[in-house]
Amino acid sequence: MNNIEEIKTLNPYQQEAVLDESPACLVNANVGSGKTTVLIEKVRHLHEKKQVSYEKMVVLTFTNKAADEIAERLSRKEAELTEEELWGFGTFHSVALRILRRFLPEKAEDGTKLEEWNREFTVITPEDEMEMVLAIAKEGGYKIKYQNRLKKRMEEDYAAYRKGRTQGKYKDDLFQIFPLLEKAKRQQNKMSFADLLEEGTQVAKEQEEVLDLKWIIVDEVQDSDEKQLEFLEALKGTRTHFFAVGDPNQVIYSWRGTGPNMFFLIKHRFGAKELTLPVNYRSDEVILEAANRFLQFGGKIEGSGERGEKILVRNHYDPFIEAEYLTERIRELHEQGLPYREIAVFYRVQKQAEILEKVFERAELPYVLPAKQKEDEDPVPERPHMIREYVAEGKLNAVSGEHTMEKAADIERQTEEEDAVHLMTLHASKGLEFDYVFIVGMNQGLIPLRCKSIEQEEEERRLFFVGLTRARKNLELSYYTNPTIPGTYETPSNYLRMLPEELLDWEEKPGSESRKANLQKLRKDTRELIREKKQEEEEQKETRKPERKGRHPKYGEGEIISEDEMMIELEFPGYGKKQFLKAFGEVEVLKGL
């Protein structure tokens, strides 16, 4: 089917976006509204009908998956497409990398070392950059406080240094090291991911006439930060058209430097005409009606599917009981014919995955996880866009050797094709969709997290909106009577109250007489257990030694901080406090210590 025939199959909103030729156009695309189809048909229309060559287009995405999907769909129509033609199709960092590989000076033939980067530079990870900082500090006798937090400090302080700040809040020598780091990276021909965008922006400005771009097309533009916006402005020549799609209701990465106003800032900055894609083709009506309660920008999401089943709301005593239930329910769904890969479990913080993983492993239930954080980091949301780009931007100075974009894409594809349940944070779920979605931990203080500002509260709502709209057909929400995540209340999330009653199928409503009686008895029993435990601790004080130790196969020896019938908590040097389920026997309590 040629492009003209394909356009006829689109709805009127999609057709208008594809055919628009404004100097700048911003499409406010509701979740599940077919924006990828619009992007691809836009590119085909420009190429086939308007005779714009692919080399004169830059098509930017935030994940390799999205970039691959666009390239793959185009290749289906034109089998002879080459990588050279599609040089401008990719993530922000990968396109910046290709510009630098093309326009930076060549390596000196006589082997002379220059004080600036050449086109054979190596891309280094944040860990590599941190090692360079530590090496400079050691060689020069510089003092760095809180080295165990250096990675996080680098993220915050290095950005502040680049904006002109001369001292950080810890008042050590880190800011004196930064100019030496800049010089060392140039001498060693190494670039960080921040360097890619910064240098790519500068080179794009210098090479505007040579690049001579006709169109810039951007996916998920609402996730752009200031540096990416500067890159877009550098690419856009005086005769370059700008077309972008995005959804301000899905801004969930404020810690990356973006915000809910970025969509409207870009509209203002480029003087863009605004179009909409209001029709959702993904989710059933019940799910969309629930999602509309959390919509912050734009009008109501219009549905195109069936009414669908009610949203199930369940109460579990604690995360362990919940995990046991999930294994049984997921196996039941699989036996009914639903592939494991069409099932996902979303949670708010990474720590919630620990019990799920252990219970799933014991039950031999197949599951996959997105790229995880290091074990010694606090449980914060993953950074899916950054992680995917880290592995995919060409050469990486990593322990495992140099990774290529193709290898990274293969890994991502294998994860998607594997028939396994997907476990991930709400942040990591963005851009994905599944037939059956479980959102666990729907307690106040967890979903949503405790917030210190209205902006944080609004982002928590958008994050829950993203989670809801990943489900095509079925959605199940659950909360705990006895949550184990610090800072979480025993009460169900206020978000459950915001959902219309007619959309929900409660296993047991909060406030029902039977539930009140059960909770009263539970509280009474809990208070009695606490009283007995305190009494037992008092009695054992004299006989118990002041310090008890345990051994874990991964973390080594640590001090036992607390334990009860179900859990044991230890503090490990270098890793901090960790909790373990006694049922799995991971901790060996050391005798006689």
Side-chain angles (χ1 to χ4, degrees), residues 468-499:
L468 289 176
T469 54
R470 302 307 96 198
R472 296 191 196 103
K473 299 176 181 177
N474 296 92
L475 181 62
E476 191 166 322
L477 312 175
S478 59
Y479 61 97
Y480 313 124
T481 298
N482 182 37
T484 57
I485 302 294
T488 307
Y489 298 100
E490 295 176 359
T491 54
S493 170
N494 289 337
Y495 290 173
L496 293 174
R497 298 177 192 169
M498 294 171 65
L499 297 171

PDB file of all heavy atoms in Angstrom, residues 468-499:
ATOM      1  N   LEU A 468      -2.070   3.471  34.506  1.00  0.00           N
ATOM      2  CA  LEU A 468      -3.423   3.052  34.120  1.00  0.00           C
ATOM      3  C   LEU A 468      -3.531   2.787  32.624  1.00  0.00           C
ATOM      4  O   LEU A 468      -4.124   1.792  32.186  1.00  0.00           O
ATOM      5  CB  LEU A 468      -4.442   4.138  34.490  1.00  0.00           C
ATOM      6  CG  LEU A 468      -4.776   4.381  35.962  1.00  0.00           C
ATOM      7  CD1 LEU A 468      -5.735   5.559  36.078  1.00  0.00           C
ATOM      8  CD2 LEU A 468      -5.391   3.147  36.592  1.00  0.00           C
ATOM      9  N   THR A 469      -2.941   3.687  31.843  1.00  0.00           N
ATOM     10  CA  THR A 469      -3.133   3.632  30.386  1.00  0.00           C
ATOM     11  C   THR A 469      -2.200   2.664  29.680  1.00  0.00           C
ATOM     12  O   THR A 469      -2.197   2.611  28.450  1.00  0.00           O
ATOM     13  CB  THR A 469      -2.976   5.048  29.789  1.00  0.00           C
ATOM     14  OG1 THR A 469      -1.720   5.600  30.206  1.00  0.00           O
ATOM     15  CG2 THR A 469      -4.101   5.953  30.246  1.00  0.00           C
ATOM     16  N   ARG A 470      -1.423   1.882  30.433  1.00  0.00           N
ATOM     17  CA  ARG A 470      -0.640   0.811  29.808  1.00  0.00           C
ATOM     18  C   ARG A 470      -1.527  -0.416  29.547  1.00  0.00           C
ATOM     19  O   ARG A 470      -1.167  -1.296  28.771  1.00  0.00           O
ATOM     20  CB  ARG A 470       0.521   0.356  30.706  1.00  0.00           C
ATOM     21  CG  ARG A 470       1.540   1.399  31.126  1.00  0.00           C
ATOM     22  CD  ARG A 470       2.115   2.162  29.979  1.00  0.00           C
ATOM     23  NE  ARG A 470       1.412   3.408  29.776  1.00  0.00           N
ATOM     24  CZ  ARG A 470       1.457   4.124  28.658  1.00  0.00           C
ATOM     25  NH1 ARG A 470       2.141   3.697  27.626  1.00  0.00           N
ATOM     26  NH2 ARG A 470       0.788   5.258  28.546  1.00  0.00           N
ATOM     27  N   ALA A 471      -2.678  -0.491  30.242  1.00  0.00           N
ATOM     28  CA  ALA A 471      -3.540  -1.685  30.166  1.00  0.00           C
ATOM     29  C   ALA A 471      -4.470  -1.597  28.961  1.00  0.00           C
ATOM     30  O   ALA A 471      -5.141  -0.582  28.753  1.00  0.00           O
ATOM     31  CB  ALA A 471      -4.353  -1.813  31.447  1.00  0.00           C
ATOM     32  N   ARG A 472      -4.518  -2.669  28.185  1.00  0.00           N
ATOM     33  CA  ARG A 472      -5.440  -2.722  27.054  1.00  0.00           C
ATOM     34  C   ARG A 472      -6.826  -3.192  27.498  1.00  0.00           C
ATOM     35  O   ARG A 472      -7.829  -2.568  27.166  1.00  0.00           O
ATOM     36  CB  ARG A 472      -4.916  -3.679  25.988  1.00  0.00           C
ATOM     37  CG  ARG A 472      -3.606  -3.290  25.338  1.00  0.00           C
ATOM     38  CD  ARG A 472      -3.342  -4.173  24.115  1.00  0.00           C
ATOM     39  NE  ARG A 472      -1.961  -4.097  23.681  1.00  0.00           N
ATOM     40  CZ  ARG A 472      -1.037  -5.028  23.911  1.00  0.00           C
ATOM     41  NH1 ARG A 472      -1.355  -6.127  24.589  1.00  0.00           N
ATOM     42  NH2 ARG A 472       0.190  -4.889  23.475  1.00  0.00           N
ATOM     43  N   LYS A 473      -6.866  -4.324  28.223  1.00  0.00           N
ATOM     44  CA  LYS A 473      -8.153  -4.965  28.508  1.00  0.00           C
ATOM     45  C   LYS A 473      -8.478  -5.089  29.993  1.00  0.00           C
ATOM     46  O   LYS A 473      -9.624  -4.901  30.390  1.00  0.00           O
ATOM     47  CB  LYS A 473      -8.182  -6.364  27.874  1.00  0.00           C
ATOM     48  CG  LYS A 473      -8.026  -6.356  26.365  1.00  0.00           C
ATOM     49  CD  LYS A 473      -7.971  -7.778  25.810  1.00  0.00           C
ATOM     50  CE  LYS A 473      -7.776  -7.767  24.285  1.00  0.00           C
ATOM     51  NZ  LYS A 473      -7.660  -9.145  23.746  1.00  0.00           N
ATOM     52  N   ASN A 474      -7.507  -5.444  30.795  1.00  0.00           N
ATOM     53  CA  ASN A 474      -7.779  -5.706  32.210  1.00  0.00           C
ATOM     54  C   ASN A 474      -6.810  -4.963  33.112  1.00  0.00           C
ATOM     55  O   ASN A 474      -5.607  -4.882  32.824  1.00  0.00           O
ATOM     56  CB  ASN A 474      -7.684  -7.207  32.509  1.00  0.00           C
ATOM     57  CG  ASN A 474      -8.741  -8.010  31.777  1.00  0.00           C
ATOM     58  OD1 ASN A 474      -8.490  -8.492  30.675  1.00  0.00           O
ATOM     59  ND2 ASN A 474      -9.902  -8.167  32.371  1.00  0.00           N
ATOM     60  N   LEU A 475      -7.356  -4.467  34.223  1.00  0.00           N
ATOM     61  CA  LEU A 475      -6.552  -3.721  35.187  1.00  0.00           C
ATOM     62  C   LEU A 475      -6.930  -4.158  36.593  1.00  0.00           C
ATOM     63  O   LEU A 475      -8.115  -4.276  36.916  1.00  0.00           O
ATOM     64  CB  LEU A 475      -6.808  -2.217  35.015  1.00  0.00           C
ATOM     65  CG  LEU A 475      -6.041  -1.255  35.912  1.00  0.00           C
ATOM     66  CD1 LEU A 475      -4.547  -1.359  35.680  1.00  0.00           C
ATOM     67  CD2 LEU A 475      -6.510   0.183  35.655  1.00  0.00           C
ATOM     68  N   GLU A 476      -5.923  -4.412  37.409  1.00  0.00           N
ATOM     69  CA  GLU A 476      -6.163  -4.834  38.784  1.00  0.00           C
ATOM     70  C   GLU A 476      -5.296  -3.987  39.713  1.00  0.00           C
ATOM     71  O   GLU A 476      -4.082  -3.867  39.516  1.00  0.00           O
ATOM     72  CB  GLU A 476      -5.832  -6.319  38.945  1.00  0.00           C
ATOM     73  CG  GLU A 476      -6.293  -6.895  40.269  1.00  0.00           C
ATOM     74  CD  GLU A 476      -6.281  -8.422  40.280  1.00  0.00           C
ATOM     75  OE1 GLU A 476      -6.615  -9.051  39.248  1.00  0.00           O
ATOM     76  OE2 GLU A 476      -5.919  -8.987  41.329  1.00  0.00           O
ATOM     77  N   LEU A 477      -5.914  -3.394  40.711  1.00  0.00           N
ATOM     78  CA  LEU A 477      -5.233  -2.537  41.675  1.00  0.00           C
ATOM     79  C   LEU A 477      -5.290  -3.199  43.043  1.00  0.00           C
ATOM     80  O   LEU A 477      -6.296  -3.806  43.400  1.00  0.00           O
ATOM     81  CB  LEU A 477      -5.904  -1.160  41.748  1.00  0.00           C
ATOM     82  CG  LEU A 477      -6.189  -0.464  40.412  1.00  0.00           C
ATOM     83  CD1 LEU A 477      -6.958   0.838  40.647  1.00  0.00           C
ATOM     84  CD2 LEU A 477      -4.898  -0.185  39.650  1.00  0.00           C
ATOM     85  N   SER A 478      -4.225  -3.075  43.825  1.00  0.00           N
ATOM     86  CA  SER A 478      -4.236  -3.695  45.156  1.00  0.00           C
ATOM     87  C   SER A 478      -3.500  -2.827  46.166  1.00  0.00           C
ATOM     88  O   SER A 478      -2.606  -2.055  45.820  1.00  0.00           O
ATOM     89  CB  SER A 478      -3.598  -5.088  45.110  1.00  0.00           C
ATOM     90  OG  SER A 478      -2.273  -5.036  44.649  1.00  0.00           O
ATOM     91  N   TYR A 479      -3.898  -2.961  47.444  1.00  0.00           N
ATOM     92  CA  TYR A 479      -3.278  -2.200  48.533  1.00  0.00           C
ATOM     93  C   TYR A 479      -3.060  -3.135  49.713  1.00  0.00           C
ATOM     94  O   TYR A 479      -3.633  -4.226  49.788  1.00  0.00           O
ATOM     95  CB  TYR A 479      -4.145  -1.000  48.918  1.00  0.00           C
ATOM     96  CG  TYR A 479      -5.525  -1.347  49.407  1.00  0.00           C
ATOM     97  CD1 TYR A 479      -5.804  -1.438  50.776  1.00  0.00           C
ATOM     98  CD2 TYR A 479      -6.570  -1.577  48.508  1.00  0.00           C
ATOM     99  CE1 TYR A 479      -7.079  -1.754  51.219  1.00  0.00           C
ATOM    100  CE2 TYR A 479      -7.843  -1.900  48.949  1.00  0.00           C
ATOM    101  CZ  TYR A 479      -8.095  -1.988  50.307  1.00  0.00           C
ATOM    102  OH  TYR A 479      -9.354  -2.315  50.752  1.00  0.00           O
ATOM    103  N   TYR A 480      -2.216  -2.703  50.662  1.00  0.00           N
ATOM    104  CA  TYR A 480      -1.829  -3.535  51.793  1.00  0.00           C
ATOM    105  C   TYR A 480      -2.512  -3.085  53.082  1.00  0.00           C
ATOM    106  O   TYR A 480      -2.709  -1.891  53.309  1.00  0.00           O
ATOM    107  CB  TYR A 480      -0.313  -3.465  52.034  1.00  0.00           C
ATOM    108  CG  TYR A 480       0.556  -3.616  50.817  1.00  0.00           C
ATOM    109  CD1 TYR A 480       1.500  -2.631  50.491  1.00  0.00           C
ATOM    110  CD2 TYR A 480       0.466  -4.734  49.998  1.00  0.00           C
ATOM    111  CE1 TYR A 480       2.331  -2.760  49.390  1.00  0.00           C
ATOM    112  CE2 TYR A 480       1.284  -4.868  48.886  1.00  0.00           C
ATOM    113  CZ  TYR A 480       2.204  -3.875  48.586  1.00  0.00           C
ATOM    114  OH  TYR A 480       3.015  -4.010  47.495  1.00  0.00           O
ATOM    115  N   THR A 481      -2.807  -4.056  53.921  1.00  0.00           N
ATOM    116  CA  THR A 481      -3.225  -3.754  55.292  1.00  0.00           C
ATOM    117  C   THR A 481      -2.004  -3.438  56.146  1.00  0.00           C
ATOM    118  O   THR A 481      -2.026  -2.560  57.000  1.00  0.00           O
ATOM    119  CB  THR A 481      -3.993  -4.949  55.899  1.00  0.00           C
ATOM    120  OG1 THR A 481      -5.171  -5.175  55.126  1.00  0.00           O
ATOM    121  CG2 THR A 481      -4.379  -4.680  57.346  1.00  0.00           C
ATOM    122  N   ASN A 482      -0.921  -4.167  55.872  1.00  0.00           N
ATOM    123  CA  ASN A 482       0.305  -4.001  56.648  1.00  0.00           C
ATOM    124  C   ASN A 482       1.478  -3.750  55.700  1.00  0.00           C
ATOM    125  O   ASN A 482       2.256  -4.648  55.404  1.00  0.00           O
ATOM    126  CB  ASN A 482       0.564  -5.260  57.491  1.00  0.00           C
ATOM    127  CG  ASN A 482       1.798  -5.120  58.348  1.00  0.00           C
ATOM    128  OD1 ASN A 482       2.097  -4.056  58.867  1.00  0.00           O
ATOM    129  ND2 ASN A 482       2.543  -6.216  58.490  1.00  0.00           N
ATOM    130  N   PRO A 483       1.618  -2.510  55.170  1.00  0.00           N
ATOM    131  CA  PRO A 483       2.706  -2.221  54.231  1.00  0.00           C
ATOM    132  C   PRO A 483       4.062  -2.277  54.930  1.00  0.00           C
ATOM    133  O   PRO A 483       4.163  -1.964  56.115  1.00  0.00           O
ATOM    134  CB  PRO A 483       2.393  -0.808  53.742  1.00  0.00           C
ATOM    135  CG  PRO A 483       1.585  -0.201  54.835  1.00  0.00           C
ATOM    136  CD  PRO A 483       0.799  -1.319  55.461  1.00  0.00           C
ATOM    137  N   THR A 484       5.099  -2.664  54.191  1.00  0.00           N
ATOM    138  CA  THR A 484       6.440  -2.781  54.787  1.00  0.00           C
ATOM    139  C   THR A 484       7.408  -1.723  54.268  1.00  0.00           C
ATOM    140  O   THR A 484       8.528  -1.635  54.741  1.00  0.00           O
ATOM    141  CB  THR A 484       7.030  -4.176  54.497  1.00  0.00           C
ATOM    142  OG1 THR A 484       7.060  -4.380  53.083  1.00  0.00           O
ATOM    143  CG2 THR A 484       6.185  -5.264  55.152  1.00  0.00           C
ATOM    144  N   ILE A 485       6.993  -0.935  53.264  1.00  0.00           N
ATOM    145  CA  ILE A 485       7.851   0.123  52.738  1.00  0.00           C
ATOM    146  C   ILE A 485       7.790   1.319  53.685  1.00  0.00           C
ATOM    147  O   ILE A 485       6.697   1.800  54.013  1.00  0.00           O
ATOM    148  CB  ILE A 485       7.401   0.560  51.329  1.00  0.00           C
ATOM    149  CG1 ILE A 485       7.414  -0.630  50.369  1.00  0.00           C
ATOM    150  CG2 ILE A 485       8.284   1.691  50.800  1.00  0.00           C
ATOM    151  CD1 ILE A 485       8.770  -1.203  50.083  1.00  0.00           C
ATOM    152  N   PRO A 486       8.925   1.821  54.175  1.00  0.00           N
ATOM    153  CA  PRO A 486       8.923   2.967  55.102  1.00  0.00           C
ATOM    154  C   PRO A 486       8.166   4.163  54.537  1.00  0.00           C
ATOM    155  O   PRO A 486       8.260   4.463  53.341  1.00  0.00           O
ATOM    156  CB  PRO A 486      10.411   3.290  55.263  1.00  0.00           C
ATOM    157  CG  PRO A 486      11.114   2.011  54.947  1.00  0.00           C
ATOM    158  CD  PRO A 486      10.291   1.326  53.906  1.00  0.00           C
ATOM    159  N   GLY A 487       7.399   4.821  55.405  1.00  0.00           N
ATOM    160  CA  GLY A 487       6.661   6.010  54.989  1.00  0.00           C
ATOM    161  C   GLY A 487       5.310   5.729  54.375  1.00  0.00           C
ATOM    162  O   GLY A 487       4.604   6.658  53.963  1.00  0.00           O
ATOM    163  N   THR A 488       4.930   4.445  54.312  1.00  0.00           N
ATOM    164  CA  THR A 488       3.651   4.073  53.700  1.00  0.00           C
ATOM    165  C   THR A 488       2.576   3.918  54.773  1.00  0.00           C
ATOM    166  O   THR A 488       2.804   3.287  55.804  1.00  0.00           O
ATOM    167  CB  THR A 488       3.790   2.750  52.925  1.00  0.00           C
ATOM    168  OG1 THR A 488       4.874   2.851  52.003  1.00  0.00           O
ATOM    169  CG2 THR A 488       2.516   2.435  52.164  1.00  0.00           C
ATOM    170  N   TYR A 489       1.425   4.487  54.526  1.00  0.00           N
ATOM    171  CA  TYR A 489       0.304   4.389  55.468  1.00  0.00           C
ATOM    172  C   TYR A 489      -0.485   3.101  55.243  1.00  0.00           C
ATOM    173  O   TYR A 489      -0.446   2.513  54.152  1.00  0.00           O
ATOM    174  CB  TYR A 489      -0.638   5.593  55.310  1.00  0.00           C
ATOM    175  CG  TYR A 489      -0.002   6.917  55.616  1.00  0.00           C
ATOM    176  CD1 TYR A 489       0.443   7.761  54.590  1.00  0.00           C
ATOM    177  CD2 TYR A 489       0.172   7.341  56.934  1.00  0.00           C
ATOM    178  CE1 TYR A 489       1.033   8.984  54.874  1.00  0.00           C
ATOM    179  CE2 TYR A 489       0.758   8.566  57.222  1.00  0.00           C
ATOM    180  CZ  TYR A 489       1.184   9.381  56.192  1.00  0.00           C
ATOM    181  OH  TYR A 489       1.777  10.590  56.469  1.00  0.00           O
ATOM    182  N   GLU A 490      -1.236   2.701  56.265  1.00  0.00           N
ATOM    183  CA  GLU A 490      -2.067   1.502  56.158  1.00  0.00           C
ATOM    184  C   GLU A 490      -3.343   1.762  55.372  1.00  0.00           C
ATOM    185  O   GLU A 490      -4.056   0.827  55.023  1.00  0.00           O
ATOM    186  CB  GLU A 490      -2.416   0.984  57.556  1.00  0.00           C
ATOM    187  CG  GLU A 490      -1.212   0.503  58.354  1.00  0.00           C
ATOM    188  CD  GLU A 490      -1.584   0.086  59.762  1.00  0.00           C
ATOM    189  OE1 GLU A 490      -2.776   0.187  60.108  1.00  0.00           O
ATOM    190  OE2 GLU A 490      -0.699  -0.345  60.510  1.00  0.00           O
ATOM    191  N   THR A 491      -3.641   3.016  55.084  1.00  0.00           N
ATOM    192  CA  THR A 491      -4.883   3.361  54.397  1.00  0.00           C
ATOM    193  C   THR A 491      -4.749   3.238  52.884  1.00  0.00           C
ATOM    194  O   THR A 491      -3.680   3.504  52.326  1.00  0.00           O
ATOM    195  CB  THR A 491      -5.289   4.809  54.735  1.00  0.00           C
ATOM    196  OG1 THR A 491      -4.180   5.677  54.443  1.00  0.00           O
ATOM    197  CG2 THR A 491      -5.647   4.940  56.196  1.00  0.00           C
ATOM    198  N   PRO A 492      -5.836   2.855  52.201  1.00  0.00           N
ATOM    199  CA  PRO A 492      -5.798   2.794  50.738  1.00  0.00           C
ATOM    200  C   PRO A 492      -5.518   4.162  50.139  1.00  0.00           C
ATOM    201  O   PRO A 492      -5.829   5.203  50.734  1.00  0.00           O
ATOM    202  CB  PRO A 492      -7.210   2.313  50.365  1.00  0.00           C
ATOM    203  CG  PRO A 492      -7.763   1.705  51.589  1.00  0.00           C
ATOM    204  CD  PRO A 492      -7.142   2.421  52.745  1.00  0.00           C
ATOM    205  N   SER A 493      -4.953   4.172  48.950  1.00  0.00           N
ATOM    206  CA  SER A 493      -4.623   5.428  48.265  1.00  0.00           C
ATOM    207  C   SER A 493      -5.861   6.273  48.009  1.00  0.00           C
ATOM    208  O   SER A 493      -6.942   5.757  47.682  1.00  0.00           O
ATOM    209  CB  SER A 493      -3.948   5.110  46.926  1.00  0.00           C
ATOM    210  OG  SER A 493      -3.815   6.269  46.139  1.00  0.00           O
ATOM    211  N   ASN A 494      -5.694   7.589  48.115  1.00  0.00           N
ATOM    212  CA  ASN A 494      -6.774   8.505  47.757  1.00  0.00           C
ATOM    213  C   ASN A 494      -7.162   8.380  46.290  1.00  0.00           C
ATOM    214  O   ASN A 494      -8.278   8.730  45.902  1.00  0.00           O
ATOM    215  CB  ASN A 494      -6.374   9.954  48.051  1.00  0.00           C
ATOM    216  CG  ASN A 494      -6.322  10.250  49.532  1.00  0.00           C
ATOM    217  OD1 ASN A 494      -6.959   9.572  50.338  1.00  0.00           O
ATOM    218  ND2 ASN A 494      -5.552  11.268  49.902  1.00  0.00           N
ATOM    219  N   TYR A 495      -6.229   7.878  45.478  1.00  0.00           N
ATOM    220  CA  TYR A 495      -6.526   7.704  44.053  1.00  0.00           C
ATOM    221  C   TYR A 495      -7.685   6.732  43.841  1.00  0.00           C
ATOM    222  O   TYR A 495      -8.445   6.863  42.880  1.00  0.00           O
ATOM    223  CB  TYR A 495      -5.292   7.194  43.307  1.00  0.00           C
ATOM    224  CG  TYR A 495      -4.173   8.202  43.172  1.00  0.00           C
ATOM    225  CD1 TYR A 495      -2.945   7.826  42.647  1.00  0.00           C
ATOM    226  CD2 TYR A 495      -4.331   9.529  43.558  1.00  0.00           C
ATOM    227  CE1 TYR A 495      -1.901   8.738  42.517  1.00  0.00           C
ATOM    228  CE2 TYR A 495      -3.299  10.448  43.435  1.00  0.00           C
ATOM    229  CZ  TYR A 495      -2.089  10.045  42.915  1.00  0.00           C
ATOM    230  OH  TYR A 495      -1.072  10.950  42.784  1.00  0.00           O
ATOM    231  N   LEU A 496      -7.819   5.741  44.723  1.00  0.00           N
ATOM    232  CA  LEU A 496      -8.929   4.791  44.602  1.00  0.00           C
ATOM    233  C   LEU A 496     -10.267   5.500  44.796  1.00  0.00           C
ATOM    234  O   LEU A 496     -11.263   5.143  44.163  1.00  0.00           O
ATOM    235  CB  LEU A 496      -8.769   3.657  45.611  1.00  0.00           C
ATOM    236  CG  LEU A 496      -7.579   2.718  45.377  1.00  0.00           C
ATOM    237  CD1 LEU A 496      -7.441   1.731  46.523  1.00  0.00           C
ATOM    238  CD2 LEU A 496      -7.721   1.974  44.048  1.00  0.00           C
ATOM    239  N   ARG A 497     -10.286   6.505  45.649  1.00  0.00           N
ATOM    240  CA  ARG A 497     -11.519   7.259  45.885  1.00  0.00           C
ATOM    241  C   ARG A 497     -11.864   8.143  44.698  1.00  0.00           C
ATOM    242  O   ARG A 497     -13.015   8.548  44.531  1.00  0.00           O
ATOM    243  CB  ARG A 497     -11.388   8.131  47.133  1.00  0.00           C
ATOM    244  CG  ARG A 497     -11.169   7.346  48.414  1.00  0.00           C
ATOM    245  CD  ARG A 497     -10.978   8.293  49.584  1.00  0.00           C
ATOM    246  NE  ARG A 497     -10.489   7.592  50.765  1.00  0.00           N
ATOM    247  CZ  ARG A 497     -10.046   8.202  51.839  1.00  0.00           C
ATOM    248  NH1 ARG A 497      -9.999   9.520  51.872  1.00  0.00           N
ATOM    249  NH2 ARG A 497      -9.624   7.504  52.883  1.00  0.00           N
ATOM    250  N   MET A 498     -10.860   8.503  43.915  1.00  0.00           N
ATOM    251  CA  MET A 498     -11.096   9.365  42.757  1.00  0.00           C
ATOM    252  C   MET A 498     -11.706   8.609  41.584  1.00  0.00           C
ATOM    253  O   MET A 498     -12.200   9.228  40.634  1.00  0.00           O
ATOM    254  CB  MET A 498      -9.775  10.019  42.323  1.00  0.00           C
ATOM    255  CG  MET A 498      -9.220  10.995  43.346  1.00  0.00           C
ATOM    256  SD  MET A 498      -7.544  11.572  42.940  1.00  0.00           S
ATOM    257  CE  MET A 498      -7.846  12.475  41.408  1.00  0.00           C
ATOM    258  N   LEU A 499     -11.662   7.285  41.641  1.00  0.00           N
ATOM    259  CA  LEU A 499     -12.206   6.476  40.552  1.00  0.00           C
ATOM    260  C   LEU A 499     -13.707   6.280  40.757  1.00  0.00           C
ATOM    261  O   LEU A 499     -14.151   5.959  41.862  1.00  0.00           O
ATOM    262  CB  LEU A 499     -11.504   5.120  40.492  1.00  0.00           C
ATOM    263  CG  LEU A 499     -10.008   5.168  40.187  1.00  0.00           C
ATOM    264  CD1 LEU A 499      -9.376   3.796  40.381  1.00  0.00           C
ATOM    265  CD2 LEU A 499      -9.762   5.649  38.762  1.00  0.00           C
TER     266      LEU A 499
END
